[in-house]
Amino acid sequence: MKALEKSAPREGLWMVEAPVPEIAPDEVLIRVNTTGICGTDVHIWNWDDWAAHTVPTPMITGHEFAGEIVEIGRDVTGLRIGQRCSGEGHLIGTQSRQSRAGKFHLDPGTRGIGVNTQGAFAEYLALPAFNVVPLPDDIPDEIGAILDPLGNAVHTALSFDLLGEDVLITGAGPIGIMAAAVARHAGARNVVITDINEGRLELARHVVPTARAVNVATEELRDVIAKLGLSQGFDVGLEMSGSQQALDQMVEALVMGGKIALLGIPLGHSPVDWSRIVFKAITIKGVYGREMFETWYKMIAMLQNGLDVSRVITHRLAASEFEAGFAAMRSGQSGKVVLDWRG
Ligand code: ZN
């Protein structure tokens, strides 16, 4: 089969011929139709410090996918050949306290497909049946292929009650933009999304016209708060950029007793004005991955109930055009890039 592999510990990925994976008794074999390129894959392409310390080579990369089950392990029940599916790319153990409490996404032994073990940028993927998420007929493959990052957005956005709240999102990458769409769908009153990259803000306006996209390089958040007529500021913040300035701006723009969910990953140690956070009585929650499988349930339900994130996909390419896809991702100007593995 064709597979996109980190074959050697240096920049780039290479399309190689690899054996079709053999499945264990508790796994299924999925024919991959569509995949999404993630920021994680760009780190692996670039072979930065994180990638060099995390990813063994050779490694078939990729973890965002949609496809169809073509083979079923002998211990698997409840799935059928021909079933369209996406799936959770975090492989978990069952023995930790967290897993035995049903909090699978908090299992400390989590391994990621395409990072720690063979991934989805290939014509076939072996996956534990536990991780399979069947796709309803009304969710197309290209949306199935971005459920992983949409799940990050949903997990973050639904960390706190948003009904009637004023929400600030810092970082207008694809996940921030999808979080804005989710916040609107979940009943937030005002949704403001900030960035300093005008191209990303334009995409945010295109995908979520009912959110206000603000370039904080040219506009002050306190002026936005005044224009919106908010008496104190935002009730809930969703930090999606990893930028320390963005977090500082968020703390400043929040109401007393405000809440922050953090998905963005700061580089290294990042100084934080903790006294400001204490005196404003702010609650902070770190968010990792997607809740298994409540996040998946909620996002599929929302997609079936009118949540539309399709315009966040800006590039649809054949898998053979992966170099152009990665170039678009590395430019910092793209939305989601999806690759088609059929044909
Ligand atoms: Zn991802």
Side-chain angles (χ1 to χ4, degrees):
M1 67 171 183
K2 285 195 186 62
L4 196 49
E5 184 185 78
K6 175 62 80 176
S7 307
R10 57 187 163 86
E11 187 178 306
L13 288 173
W14 297 272
M15 194 65 85
V16 299
E17 198 58 42
V20 174
E22 293 195 13
I23 57 170
D26 63 342
E27 291 182 335
V28 298
L29 187 68
I30 296 165
R31 193 191 71 210
V32 175
N33 291 335
T34 314
T35 57
I37 302 178
C38 180
T40 301
D41 304 314
V42 176
H43 287 289
I44 295 173
W45 176 292
N46 292 343
W47 205 240
D48 60 15
D49 281 350
W50 170 84
H53 285 104
T54 311
V55 182
T57 57
M59 176 64 68
I60 296 171
T61 53
H63 55 270
E64 305 178 358
F65 71 94
E68 182 181 324
I69 296 174
V70 292
E71 192 185 335
I72 293 185
R74 66 170 186 271
D75 293 347
V76 174
T77 55
L79 293 171
R80 60 177 173 80
I81 302 235
Q83 171 73 60
R84 293 177 58 248
C85 67
S86 181
E88 172 58 56
H90 285 176
L91 310 182
I92 53 113
T94 56
Q95 296 308 306
S96 68
R97 174 185 176 179
Q98 292 90 337
S99 285
R100 289 176 67 82
K103 298 171 191 167
F104 299 118
H105 70 295
L106 298 179
D107 180 60
T110 297
R111 293 177 310 129
I113 66 167
V115 176
N116 312 110
T117 181
Q118 296 300 313
F121 286 168
E123 289 176 291
Y124 294 93
L125 168 70
L127 193 73
F130 176 83
N131 287 62
V132 170
V133 176
L135 284 178
D137 291 343
D138 52 356
I139 295 185
D141 282 343
E142 67 169 29
I143 297 297
I146 64 167
L147 290 181
D148 170 293
L150 175 59
N152 291 135
V154 168
H155 187 185
T156 311
L158 299 189
S159 289
F160 302 108
D161 182 17
L162 297 185
L163 180 61
E165 304 289 322
D166 298 315
V167 177
L168 174 64
I169 300 169
T170 45
I175 296 179
I177 292 173
M178 290 192 284
V182 172
R184 289 293 299 165
H185 189 82
R189 178 171 60 177
N190 292 294
V191 175
V192 171
I193 181 166
T194 66
D195 208 296
I196 51 173
N197 176 330
E198 195 51 45
R200 293 181 155 207
L201 291 164
E202 267 310 308
L203 182 62
R205 291 178 193 113
H206 179 61
V207 178
V208 198
T210 55
R212 190 185 185 103
V214 172
N215 189 333
V216 281
T218 57
E219 198 175 354
E220 293 279 342
L221 269 179
R222 81 170 76 88
D223 297 334
V224 175
I225 290 170
K227 273 184 212 154
L228 291 173
L230 310 183
S231 60
Q232 295 176 46
F234 297 92
D235 305 297
V236 177
L238 311 176
E239 208 304 292
M240 303 297 205
S241 70
S243 149
Q244 194 211 319
Q245 278 165 307
L247 181 58
D248 286 343
Q249 287 167 1
M250 178 174 279
V251 170
E252 221 38 56
L254 243 52
V255 298
M256 284 286 295
K259 303 176 184 88
I260 297 177
L262 293 173
L263 186 77
I265 302 166
L267 266 181
H269 290 267
S270 149
V272 173
D273 185 353
W274 287 106
S275 61
R276 191 86 184 107
I277 290 168
V278 172
F279 286 126
K280 284 190 98 166
I282 286 171
T283 300
I284 297 186
K285 179 192 174 192
V287 179
Y288 177 63
R290 298 143 297 279
E291 287 187 6
M292 292 172 229
F293 284 84
E294 184 66 6
T295 301
W296 291 87
Y297 183 92
K298 289 273 196 185
M299 75 177 146
I300 288 171
M302 286 190 282
L303 288 166
Q304 292 184 305
N305 186 32
L307 174 66
D308 182 5
V309 294
S310 57
R311 280 180 291 192
V312 84
I313 300 172
T314 54
H315 296 70
R316 296 168 173 85
L317 301 168
S320 58
E321 301 172 290
F322 69 94
E323 283 171 321
F326 273 86
M329 287 288 289
R330 295 172 87 206
S331 75
Q333 297 292 335
S334 74
K336 286 303 292 185
V337 175
V338 297
L339 302 177
D340 194 318
W341 288 81
R342 288 161 292 196

